[in-house]
């Protein structure tokens, strides 16, 4: 009779035996990086890997997503997704960046796909699914990075998508309706003084509201007749200063971040600037703080326009929600990680001020999104490089596969208990109503 521990070690051995295939897939995706909602070649690579394993799948979900399904052998009740993100970022200075687009996988999403497929290979090669009371969904998802806003706004206008991010889009299309909980990993940097990789269990991250700000003044000769113009650049500077004047009211516990850029500052130096544009995120660790800071930042930005008699349009875009990792999933992943790489190489992270659209998913189902220390250089940096291949491509897959077995072995009692004790932060309808509430203009 097969025990849970025996099954776990068989799956881990099956993943290790596939090391070359897994590494090849990661490197193959690395060589052809594609930005969000454009990941057609990457999606094909996922489809080819599913075909080779005989895994049925659906494709072109939210344009490029690919969703497989492994059936559990026992009365199948619960479904656990293993998520891999398809998209790259822009990092034209990286030596391996795409010559045409400047895209590069400096956020390591290619390793997420490799680990997702490694879990799939391990479960299939070992025959483990026969012992599990539940399904596993390897899910390659588009567009985690919140970038190319103009391009994605065009897709929205064309009716091809409704949201800037891949997971909000997939949630709104019902593609997570048949999933009960989700696991995914993300690579992270290892400091130069440390020789080996690590696994950091994630707790929380910031969420954010996207902001497009347009100050409109009146053009006039900048030297001969400034009194006849309205200076939109001065309005923008007053707006930013207004925000700086309220920064002291943001509380440390809320980790508020406002980091605007000016994407258009005027047209000609001898004409009073009349069309000035800013972009920013308003980030915070929790939704009430996000909404509160966003309202007050909008007020300060509007005051800049009032000061000089300009007009201003502040457009809020649904950003990403804060990530709340599920503690039960975290505990299982941590135990399995400690078993694989030793307690001294596994720890629990503090709050992080970046953001991910997995935060959105974490509001409607249990999610865990640990960080895998396996690269040198910075995330999104030109010096990004994987230095610990086992930690980047093999260990996370083993850790996730072991956790799936913990949850679904025999009669899936642990998965049932986890869900019985779980209260989602929002229902799917509440979530959709909430993010749609940001699609306004003030
Ligand atoms: Zn990333």
């Amino acid at each position: 009779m097969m025990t849970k521990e025996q099954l776990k070690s068989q799956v881990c051995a099956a993943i290790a035996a596939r090391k070359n295939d897994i590494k090849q897939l990661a490197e193959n995706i690395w060589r052809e990086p594609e930005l969000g909602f454009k990941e057609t070649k990457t999606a094909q690579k996922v489809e080819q890997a599913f075909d080779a394993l005989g895994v049925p799948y659906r494709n072109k979900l939210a344009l490029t997503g690919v969703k497989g399904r492994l059936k559990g052998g026992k009365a199948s009740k619960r479904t656990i997704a293993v998520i891999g993100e398809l998209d790259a970022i822009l990092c034209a200075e990286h030596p391996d960046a795409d010559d045409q687009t400047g895209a590069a996988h400096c956020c390591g999403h290619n390793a997420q796909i490799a680990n997702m497929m490694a879990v799939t290979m391990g479960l299939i090669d070992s025959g483990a699914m026969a012992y599990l009371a539940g399904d596993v969904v390897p899910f390659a998802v588009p567009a985690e990075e919140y970038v190319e806003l103009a391009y994605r706004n065009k897709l929205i206008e064309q009716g091809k998508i409704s949201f800037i991010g891949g997971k909000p889009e997939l949630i709104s299309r019902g593609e997570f309706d048949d999933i009960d909980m989700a696991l995914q990993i993300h690579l992270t940097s290892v400091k130069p003084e440390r020789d080996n990789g690590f696994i950091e269990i994630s707790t929380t991250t910031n969420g954010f509201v996207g902001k497009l700000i347009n100050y409109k003044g009146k053009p006039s000769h900048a030297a001969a007749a400034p009194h006849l113009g309205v200076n939109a650049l001065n309005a923008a500077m007053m707006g930013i200063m207004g925000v700086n004047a309220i920064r002291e009211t943001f509380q440390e516990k809320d980790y508020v971040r406002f980091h605007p850029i000016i994407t258009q500052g005027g047209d000609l130096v001898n004409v009073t600037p009349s069309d000035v544009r800013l972009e920013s995120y308003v980030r915070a660790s929790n939704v009430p703080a996000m909404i509160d800071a966003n309202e007050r930042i909008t007020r300060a930005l509007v005051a800049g326009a009032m000061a000089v008699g300009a007009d201003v349009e502040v457009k809020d875009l649904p950003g990403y929600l804060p990530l709340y990792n599920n503690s039960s999933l975290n505990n299982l992943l941590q135990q399995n990680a400690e078993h694989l790489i030793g307690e001294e190489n596994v720890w629990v992270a503090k709050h992080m001020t970046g953001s991910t659209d997995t935060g959105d998913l974490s509001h409607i189902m249990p999610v865990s999104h640990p960080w895998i220390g396996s690269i040198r250089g910075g995330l999104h940096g030109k010096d990004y490089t994987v230095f610990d291949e086992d930690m980047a491509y093999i260990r996370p897959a083993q850790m996730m596969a072991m956790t799936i077995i913990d949850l679904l072995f025999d009669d899936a009692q642990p998965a049932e208990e986890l869900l019985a004790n779980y209260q989602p932060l929002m229902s799917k309808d509440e979530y959709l109503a909430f993010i749609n509430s940001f699609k306004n203009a003030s």
Side-chain angles (χ1 to χ4, degrees):
M1 190 178 140
M2 179 76 80
T3 68
K4 188 171 80 173
E5 295 311 317
Q6 282 169 340
L7 190 61
K8 281 178 163 184
S9 64
Q10 285 183 14
V11 173
C12 287
I15 290 171
R18 285 278 202 160
K19 183 173 176 181
N20 283 340
D21 293 335
I22 296 162
K23 200 182 141 200
Q24 266 176 28
L25 177 63
E27 291 175 351
N28 189 359
I29 295 172
W30 170 269
R31 279 191 293 274
E32 292 186 288
E34 299 172 297
L35 291 176
F37 293 126
K38 300 174 181 171
E39 314 98 325
T40 50
K41 288 185 208 159
T42 313
Q44 271 172 18
K45 289 168 190 175
V46 171
E47 290 166 23
Q48 281 162 9
F50 279 151
D51 284 334
L53 290 163
V55 173
Y57 60 86
R58 291 167 53 240
N59 64 1
K60 299 190 168 64
L61 307 175
L63 304 188
T64 55
V66 189
K67 185 178 176 185
R69 185 172 278 268
L70 315 186
K71 284 264 168 212
K74 304 208 166 180
S76 173
K77 287 181 236 156
R78 296 303 182 179
T79 297
I80 304 174
V82 179
I83 292 173
E85 292 159 352
L86 292 159
D87 60 330
I89 55 144
L90 283 183
C91 187
E93 287 179 67
H94 195 284
D96 293 340
D98 186 292
D99 291 342
Q100 305 283 315
T101 64
H105 268 294
C106 302
C107 204
H109 295 184
N110 62 320
Q112 295 184 16
I113 298 286
N115 277 292
M116 177 201 84
M117 203 56 76
V119 171
T120 309
M121 289 170 176
L123 291 171
I124 289 179
D125 292 354
S126 65
M129 292 309 297
Y131 299 93
L132 302 186
D135 292 355
V136 176
V137 166
F139 199 170
V141 304
E144 186 275 331
E145 307 283 350
Y146 196 90
V147 297
E148 292 197 304
L149 301 192
Y151 169 73
R152 293 189 195 175
N153 267 327
K154 200 171 82 187
L155 293 178
I156 291 172
E157 280 164 22
Q158 292 169 342
K160 292 181 177 165
I161 55 171
S162 302
F163 297 98
I164 304 272
K167 292 186 195 75
E169 183 68 22
L170 288 165
I171 293 169
S172 74
R173 292 183 186 212
E175 290 297 344
F176 281 97
D177 291 356
D178 58 357
I179 291 168
D180 294 297
M181 58 187 93
L183 306 174
Q184 81 168 95
I185 56 102
H186 199 295
L187 302 194
T188 193
S189 304
V190 180
K191 292 197 177 92
E193 60 269 24
R194 197 182 156 89
D195 296 329
N196 60 320
F198 58 81
I199 293 177
E200 192 175 33
I201 302 299
S202 175
T203 49
T204 53
T205 74
N206 271 5
F208 70 91
V209 180
K211 259 179 139 44
L212 297 173
I213 303 133
N214 188 0
Y215 288 96
K216 291 171 185 162
K218 190 172 153 202
S220 179
H221 194 292
H227 56 288
L228 299 178
V230 175
N231 191 320
L233 183 59
N234 285 343
M237 290 191 294
M238 289 294 290
I240 292 172
M241 288 307 295
V243 178
N244 290 343
I246 58 170
R247 283 187 193 270
E248 66 180 8
T249 67
F250 300 141
Q251 298 181 66
E252 281 80 354
K253 70 178 175 60
D254 295 326
Y255 296 91
V256 175
R257 297 284 190 277
F258 175 70
H259 39 82
I261 56 170
I262 297 181
T263 55
Q264 182 173 325
D267 297 306
L268 293 173
V269 67
N270 58 1
V271 179
T272 305
S274 62
D275 183 358
V276 171
R277 296 171 191 223
L278 277 61
E279 289 182 14
S280 191
Y281 298 172
V282 175
R283 303 195 202 233
S285 64
N286 59 88
V287 169
M290 233 164 78
I291 292 173
D292 175 63
N294 186 51
E295 281 176 7
R296 291 195 285 145
I297 284 169
T298 296
R299 188 185 63 199
L301 292 170
V302 169
M306 289 174 72
V308 302
D311 288 325
V312 62
E313 185 180 277
V314 182
K315 187 173 171 55
D316 290 341
L317 299 166
Y320 295 158
L321 290 176
L323 173 65
Y324 293 98
N325 286 279
N326 179 269
S327 59
S328 303
L329 289 180
N330 272 1
N331 289 341
L332 288 173
L333 285 168
Q334 184 171 359
Q335 283 164 26
N336 288 316
E338 287 173 354
H339 180 83
L340 286 166
I341 63 169
E343 270 178 44
E344 67 280 13
N345 297 312
V346 182
W347 57 83
V348 177
K350 296 198 174 82
H351 179 75
M352 293 188 183
T353 45
S355 310
T356 166
D357 64 354
T358 304
D360 291 48
L361 197 59
S362 78
H363 277 67
I364 62 171
M365 69 175 61
V367 164
S368 183
H369 178 288
W371 300 94
I372 312 299
S374 54
I375 60 167
R376 295 290 193 208
L379 279 184
H380 296 200
K382 63 181 177 181
D383 53 354
Y384 171 105
T385 174
V386 170
F387 86 102
D388 187 336
E389 287 182 349
D390 268 1
M391 198 67 87
Y393 305 134
I394 305 299
R395 295 312 198 182
Q398 291 174 328
M399 168 184 72
M400 288 192 285
M402 291 166 85
T403 300
I404 288 167
I405 293 168
D406 280 328
L407 290 161
L408 298 181
F409 187 71
D410 209 5
D411 60 355
Q413 196 54 39
E416 294 298 342
E417 266 171 37
L418 190 160
L419 290 163
N421 295 320
Y422 174 73
Q423 191 60 42
L425 290 159
M426 294 178 180
S427 68
K428 180 184 153 192
D429 287 344
E430 286 166 345
Y431 163 72
L432 291 174
F434 177 77
I435 55 170
N436 279 315
S437 74
F438 283 96
K439 287 184 170 179
N440 67 345
S442 59

